[in-house]
C-alpha cells in the first residue's frame, strides 16, 4: 500500500512533478533556476538575529546552464527575427508590384492624328546655283545645321509632370523630329522604322495605312508623318540640312502633357541623274512642319509619343489632286505646271477633300545673284 501522503501507485497529484506538467520542471523548479535567484529567504535561525528583512540579495551567479529555460529566453529574439523577415518580404512584394514591367494596357483613348499638307507653288522658274551660295542668299543663311537647329527650352514642372518628366518628353519630341526630318534613310524612302518606333502603339495602324494606302482625308497623308523624297528623281546636293524653330509645352489636363513644335527645314537638292554635273545645279526646298505631340505618364518610360496634329507647307512644288507618297520638289530652272491649283469638285459625293495649294512667296526663295 502507499504510505500516508503518497498518491496511489502510478498516480501523481495534478500540477506536481511526475504529472502532466512534468515538462515544466526544468523551467521552474530546476536547481540552476533556484541558484540564479537574486533574492534568498533567511533561515529561521537567521531571522532571529538583527536582520530587518526576511530576505537577502545574492551576488550575480554564473550564467545558467543551457537548457529549456535558455531556449525560452531566446524566444523573443526568434520572434523579432521572424517579424523582420516578414517585414522584408512584404516590402519586397510591394516594390516588385510597383516595378512590374508587365503593366496592364492603358485604357486612355488615343485619337487619330490629323494631317494637312499644302504644296507651295513658285511664281516663276526655281532659282539654282551652288548650295552654299543659295543658302547665303536665302532666309536660311543663319539657320543651324542638322539636329543642332532643334533646341530645347528650359524644362520646368508642369502640373502633374515633374521637371525630369518634362525634359524626357521634350527629348522624345526632338528624337521624332530628327528621325522624321533628318535621318538619311527616312529622307530617301529606305526606312520607316526610325519614326515608327517612337509612335504610340495605338497609332501604328494609321501610320502603316498612310504608306500602304495614302488618302487625302486628313488622316492618311504620308507627308504628315515624315519628310520623304523620291530617290529616283532627286538627290541631296548637301548633307547638311538647315533647321530653325521652337518647342513649347503645357499640361492640357491632369496627366496629359502636350508639346507643340514649329520648325523650318531647308534641303539643298539636285536632280538624281546629275552625279557628274556641277553643283551649281542645286536648288533649295523648304518644309515647314507645325506639329503637336501628346504624352501620358506611361508614354515616357516607353520613349513613345502620340502625334495629335501635323500641318506641313512645302515648296517649291506643283499642286496635285492625288496625295503623293513622297514630296515632289521642283528643281533648278523648273516651273510649276499650268492650270494651278488643282481642281476641286464641290458636287462630288462623300467626304469633302478639297485640294489645298498655296503660292510660294518670292521672299522665301534665294535672292537673285548680283
Amino acid at each position: 500500500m502507499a504510505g500516508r501522503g503518497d498518491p496511489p501507485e502510478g498516480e501523481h497529484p495534478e500540477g506536481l512533478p511526475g504529472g502532466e506538467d512534468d515538462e515544466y520542471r526544468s523551467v521552474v523548479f530546476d536547481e540552476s533556476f533556484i541558484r540564479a535567484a537574486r533574492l534568498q529567504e533567511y533561515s529561521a535561525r537567521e531571522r532571529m538575529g538583527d536582520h530587518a528583512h526576511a530576505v537577502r540579495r545574492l551576488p550575480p551567479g554564473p550564467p545558467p546552464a543551457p537548457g529549456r529555460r535558455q531556449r525560452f529566453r531566446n524566444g523573443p529574439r526568434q520572434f523579432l527575427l521572424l517579424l523582420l523577415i516578414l517585414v522584408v518580404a512584404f516590402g519586397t512584394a510591394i516594390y516588385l508590384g510597383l516595378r512590374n514591367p508587365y503593366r496592364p494596357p492603358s485604357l486612355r483613348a488615343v485619337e487619330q492624328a490629323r494631317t494637312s499638307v499644302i504644296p507651295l507653288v513658285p511664281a516663276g522658274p526655281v532659282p539654282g546655283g551652288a548650295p552654299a551660295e543659295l543658302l547665303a542668299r536665302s532666309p536660311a543663311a543663319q539657320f543651324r545645321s542638322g539636329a543642332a537647329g532643334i533646341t530645347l527650352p528650359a524644362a520646368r514642372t508642369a502640373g502633374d509632370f515633374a521637371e525630369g518628366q518634362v525634359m524626357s518628353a521634350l527629348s522624345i519630341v526632338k528624337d521624332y523630329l530628327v528621325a522624321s526630318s533628318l535621318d538619311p534613310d527616312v529622307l530617301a524612302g529606305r526606312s520607316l522604322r526610325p519614326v515608327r518606333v517612337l509612335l504610340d502603339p495605338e497609332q501604328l495602324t494609321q501610320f502603316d495605312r498612310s504608306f500602304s494606302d495614302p488618302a487625302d482625308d486628313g488622316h492618311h497623308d504620308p507627308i504628315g508623318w515624315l519628310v520623304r523624297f523620291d530617290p529616283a528623281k532627286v538627290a541631296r546636293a548637301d548633307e547638311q540640312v538647315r533647321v530653325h524653330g521652337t518647342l513649347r509645352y503645357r499640361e492640357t489636363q491632369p496627366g496629359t502633357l502636350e508639346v507643340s513644335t514649329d520648325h523650318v527645314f531647308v534641303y539643298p537638292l539636285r536632280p538624281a541623274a546629275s552625279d557628274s554635273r556641277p553643283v551649281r545645279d542645286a536648288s533649295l526646298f523648304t518644309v515647314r512642319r507645325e506639329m503637336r505631340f501628346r504624352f501620358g505618364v506611361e508614354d515616357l518610360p516607353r520613349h513613345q509619343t502620340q502625334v495629335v496634329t501635323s500641318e506641313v507647307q512645302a515648296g517649291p512644288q506643283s499642286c496635285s489632286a492625288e496625295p503623293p507618297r513622297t514630296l515632289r520638289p521642283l528643281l533648278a530652272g523648273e516651273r510649276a505646271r499650268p492650270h494651278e491649283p488643282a481642281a476641286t469638285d464641290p458636287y462630288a459625293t462623300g467626304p469633302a477633300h478639297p485640294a489645298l495649294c498655296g503660292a510660294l512667296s518670292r521672299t522665301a526663295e534665294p535672292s537673285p545673284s548680283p
Side-chain angles (χ1 to χ4, degrees), residues 127-128 133-140 284 361-370:
E133 296 176 358
L134 292 173
L135 289 169
R137 295 187 282 112
S138 77
L284 299 184
S361 172
R362 290 282 191 182
T363 60
E365 297 178 318
S367 59
S369 58

Side-chain angles (χ1 to χ4, degrees), residues 103-276:
R103 296 180 183 270
S106 172
L107 299 180
R108 64 184 177 89
V110 177
E111 61 188 60
Q112 284 195 328
R114 300 186 300 276
T115 62
S116 66
V117 180
I118 301 178
L120 300 179
V121 181
V126 176
E133 296 176 358
L134 292 173
L135 289 169
R137 295 187 282 112
S138 77
Q142 304 302 320
F143 287 8
R144 295 184 178 182
S145 296
I150 306 174
T151 57
L152 302 183
R156 297 184 178 87
T157 301
D160 294 337
F161 291 82
E163 178 180 327
Q165 292 175 310
V166 172
M167 178 55 69
S168 178
L170 293 173
S171 299
I172 296 172
V173 169
K174 180 172 181 177
D175 289 345
Y176 185 96
L177 293 176
V178 170
S180 62
S181 309
L182 302 175
D183 187 288
D185 290 333
V186 172
L187 295 178
R190 293 189 293 265
S191 177
L192 299 175
R193 188 177 184 279
V195 179
R196 196 176 189 275
V197 297
L198 296 172
L199 287 173
D200 189 300
E202 296 295 327
Q203 286 193 317
L204 294 181
T205 300
Q206 180 188 3
F207 178 83
D208 293 339
R209 181 186 163 186
S210 298
F211 293 91
S212 63
D213 186 20
D216 187 17
D217 59 359
H219 296 289
H220 299 95
D221 194 321
I223 309 306
W225 300 96
L226 50 82
V227 177
R228 196 182 201 190
F229 300 106
D230 184 350
K233 297 181 179 179
V234 299
R236 295 168 63 185
D238 191 329
E239 294 300 318
Q240 296 299 320
V241 179
R242 299 299 179 96
V243 186
H244 179 72
T246 60
L247 287 90
R248 298 180 303 274
Y249 61 88
R250 66 187 181 97
E251 186 186 48
T252 55
Q253 60 185 14
T256 301
L257 184 74
E258 287 194 357
V259 179
S260 300
T261 70
D262 185 358
H263 288 82
V264 176
F265 300 85
V266 182
Y267 304 87
L269 302 177
R270 59 174 175 80
S274 63
D275 292 344
S276 59

